[in-house]
Amino acid sequence: MSDAASPYAVETVALTKIYGARHRQPAKLALDAVSLAIPRGSFFGLLGPNGAGKSTLINILAGLVMKTSGTARVWGYDIVADERMARAAIGVVPQELNLDPFFTPRELLEVQAGLYGVPASARRTDEILAAVGLADRAHSYARTLSGGMRRRLLVAKALVHTPPVLVLDEPTAGVDIELRQQLWAYVKELNRRGTTILLTTHYLEEAETLCDRIAIIDHGRVVAHDDTQVLLRRLDSKVLTVVADRDLTSVPPALAPFLPELRRPRQLVFHYKPSQTSVGAILAGIQAAGLGIADLTTEQADLEDIFLQLTRRATEPVAAK
């Protein structure tokens, strides 16, 4: 039975997956008590290095892998107790280009719609093909499509049953910049209309630009789960680069407390934590040193910095007591 009152499109509680030992390989803990809450209508990023457990999580939600323990719900439906409804509520765009080369895009979408029980009168095959830019290739064999077109066709297949949750597993891998922009324009429009998007990607700048919430998973554990902007603030690191109005041979005493780096005769680089030092204090120090400013730039921590910091922390060995 669906929990219609749930505000979450996807919710997992202590979700765990252990792959059993086989072929002389030991058992593997792929997911370690993963708890996530993805709000309805959000654009959610799931990030992590290769082997972190992202695909295992997605495959469990899609009903392709059996969980070991814990619970998971899609659009309020438990993936075990309400299996059919949970599967109908999710569309998955996989990493692999798994298309039948002897079918046309139109035939592939019609077959997919039939598998989901979509009646012929309710199918949106031509509309979806037009939306992903494949209307003019509707009757071409899939084997004749470019890599980018095949990737868009996978997105189209995932949409035939109008799922409220769309999972994109590395959707722009191997896609050129122009096609990537077209794909994101369409996905953002879907999200604007209310579709919840769950994205996994190695392009961290994409996640930073697109996602309103992000979870980072490493070694099967969630190491971060928050609003994107909150995560960016967590690193608490900025870089201020100042070009002085004259050459310097050393750091002026008034600036020594800020530990700047003198990179060129006129360039001072300050690494500081906004929670402890304000940029105004640094600028006041520059004025106290009698320096004028010819140019000034600032750099803020980005998602890549946070990703590297959190995954590095998660893999650091625990010191012996």
Side-chain angles (χ1 to χ4, degrees), residues 12-18 29 31-35 57 60 65-72 79-80:
T12 69
V13 178
L15 189 64
T16 299
K17 174 61 182 177
I18 301 174
L29 178 62
L31 292 179
D32 186 2
V34 170
S35 295
L57 175 60
I60 289 175
V65 170
M66 298 296 292
K67 64 184 176 68
T68 301
S69 62
T71 62
I79 63 169
V80 176

Side-chain angles (χ1 to χ4, degrees), residues 148-162:
M149 290 178 180
R150 294 181 191 186
R151 183 71 61 185
R152 284 183 282 161
L153 182 52
L154 287 177
V155 175
K157 281 184 64 179
L159 294 173
V160 295
H161 58 298
T162 318

Side-chain angles (χ1 to χ4, degrees), residues 84-166:
R84 287 180 61 87
M85 296 304 294
R87 290 192 185 191
I90 192 170
V92 179
V93 181
Q95 292 185 42
E96 299 79 13
L97 294 171
N98 55 352
L99 297 169
D100 190 318
F102 298 102
F103 276 66
T104 67
R106 198 174 198 289
E107 290 169 339
L108 282 168
L109 265 59
E110 285 292 309
V111 169
Q112 187 79 353
L115 292 174
Y116 275 98
V118 181
S121 60
R123 294 178 188 176
R124 302 179 299 118
T125 299
D126 293 328
E127 174 191 336
I128 293 172
L129 287 173
V132 298
L134 291 175
D136 59 339
R137 303 301 298 270
H139 301 287
S140 303
Y141 286 123
R143 66 175 183 269
T144 68
L145 302 179
S146 68
M149 290 178 180
R150 294 181 191 186
R151 183 71 61 185
R152 284 183 282 161
L153 182 52
L154 287 177
V155 175
K157 281 184 64 179
L159 294 173
V160 295
H161 58 298
T162 318
V165 180
L166 179 64

Side-chain angles (χ1 to χ4, degrees), residues 189-207:
E189 177 60 21
L190 285 175
N191 181 243
R192 190 187 67 79
R193 295 178 187 174
T195 302
T196 302
I197 309 296
L198 172 55
L199 167 70
T200 77
T201 179
H202 279 102
Y203 297 105
L204 298 184
E205 69 277 7
E206 285 187 344

